[in-house]
Amino acid sequence: EETPAAVGVSCGGPLDSRAGLILSPPNLPGWDAVPVTAFLEERLGLPAFLCNDANAGAFAQLWYRSKEYGIRNMIYVLAGQGVGCGMITDGKLVLGHRGLAGEFGHNTINFNGPRCECGNYGCLEKYCSFIVLCENIEKRIRNGESSMLTPDDLSTAKISEAVRAGDTVAREEYEKVCGFLAIGIINLINQFNPGLIVIGDELTQVDGELLLSIVQKRVHDCVNPLIYNEIVIELDSMPENPVLMGAAAIAAQQVLSDPGKLMDMPEEE
């Protein structure tokens, strides 16, 4: 049997990829400074590497689509329970000083907006995520509006069915969330001038084509044509989960860049 060379772990931020620590992600309460790579290395006897989930998604695009247009300067937008992005510039991941770059879900889009868990006000993530979509739908239903949905069953599949069936509550709230996502993507385009933007995760699974059309139209209306005409915006189309594939690819790259990490691997029996 083949022995794995390394372990790749992806997780929503914030985290410290260099130290292998998960640092209290909002969706993982109680996970404060958890040394996940040290735990896995001790249990499995293999080098382990931690990366942000959006960075993993971006790296998967680079690793598996290296010859395609715009891939060396691209942004992978993760629009699910939260909102984040992984950025590739000149063929390399943009990580920042502490490896926390790409938290564009915490860019302010309303300076008078609600306080975010990160400490900022009016963050994009307070207006645009699958969690926000569910909360807004539930609020309208409990306030008496008619919908084919029920507050106790707001799964991705159920919301997708309602949006595609033209349910007023589901459709309006989904379009609203997609509009806010478009605003965030416009800001990314103006800051980083990517050649390719790939959008993935739960919000795209509701009605990906509708989401893509809303984003493309808003970008077309709001971005300088000199920039817009050279951008490809698409939905993630990888056959496997890009976050998992990216975590594996990052682990492989780390091992290949420093084969000495394999010296402590246990010998095969």
Side-chain angles (χ1 to χ4, degrees):
E1 296 183 2
E2 294 184 359
T3 301
V7 179
V9 182
S10 62
C11 180
L15 51 81
D16 186 335
S17 57
R18 295 182 179 90
L21 298 174
I22 295 176
L23 303 173
S24 301
N27 297 324
L28 291 174
W31 287 58
D32 185 18
V34 175
V36 63
T37 56
F39 175 85
L40 291 171
E41 287 174 348
E42 179 183 348
R43 296 299 191 278
L44 301 177
L46 298 170
F49 304 93
L50 174 65
C51 58
N52 175 278
D53 52 0
N55 286 342
F59 197 77
Q61 307 295 322
L62 177 66
W63 186 271
Y64 296 103
R65 301 173 57 187
S66 59
K67 304 299 182 182
E68 296 183 30
Y69 173 83
I71 203 72
R72 290 182 59 80
N73 289 283
M74 63 86 63
I75 296 175
Y76 182 80
V77 174
L78 204 63
Q81 297 293 310
V83 180
C85 72
M87 299 170 290
I88 304 290
T89 297
D90 294 330
K92 296 181 180 179
L93 270 174
V94 177
L95 298 176
H97 179 63
R98 287 286 305 274
L100 298 174
E103 294 287 346
F104 94 111
H106 297 289
N107 286 350
T108 296
I109 63 170
N110 178 7
F111 61 85
N112 287 322
R115 183 78 179 265
C116 180
E117 290 79 2
C118 74
N120 193 13
Y121 290 88
C123 289
L124 172 64
E125 198 167 285
K126 301 300 287 186
Y127 300 87
C128 170
S129 72
F130 187 75
I131 291 175
V132 170
L133 174 62
C134 291
E135 289 175 346
N136 291 345
I137 290 173
E138 179 179 354
K139 182 178 180 180
R140 289 180 63 173
I141 295 172
R142 293 194 185 281
N143 285 339
E145 293 192 53
S146 176
S147 172
M148 61 187 289
L149 294 168
T150 62
D152 299 324
D153 189 9
L154 295 177
S155 64
T156 305
K158 289 290 187 181
I159 294 176
S160 175
E161 180 183 357
V163 169
R164 294 172 189 273
D167 181 273
T168 301
V169 171
R171 181 92 176 192
E172 288 182 355
E173 292 303 327
Y174 184 62
E175 289 184 355
K176 188 185 304 181
V177 165
C178 293
F180 283 120
L181 179 64
I183 292 171
I185 288 175
I186 289 166
N187 290 336
L188 287 175
I189 290 170
N190 287 328
Q191 292 169 14
F192 294 99
N193 186 210
L196 172 67
I197 293 177
V198 180
I199 309 171
D201 212 2
E202 278 177 291
L203 284 180
T204 67
Q205 296 164 17
V206 174
D207 189 337
E209 293 304 319
L210 176 58
L211 179 148
L212 185 60
S213 67
I214 291 172
V215 170
Q216 288 177 330
K217 184 180 186 306
R218 184 68 67 87
V219 171
H220 178 271
D221 292 343
C222 299
V223 172
N224 188 312
L226 292 174
I227 300 173
Y228 173 79
N229 290 334
E230 295 191 7
I231 297 174
V232 173
I233 304 175
E234 64 183 35
L235 301 176
D236 176 56
S237 60
M238 290 190 65
E240 305 291 341
N241 186 316
V243 173
L244 296 181
M245 297 297 288
I250 288 174
Q253 184 198 52
Q254 292 292 324
V255 168
L256 291 172
S257 67
D258 184 5
K261 293 184 174 73
L262 298 176
M263 299 302 293
D264 295 328
M265 286 179 56
E267 297 183 1
E268 295 185 12
E269 296 182 359

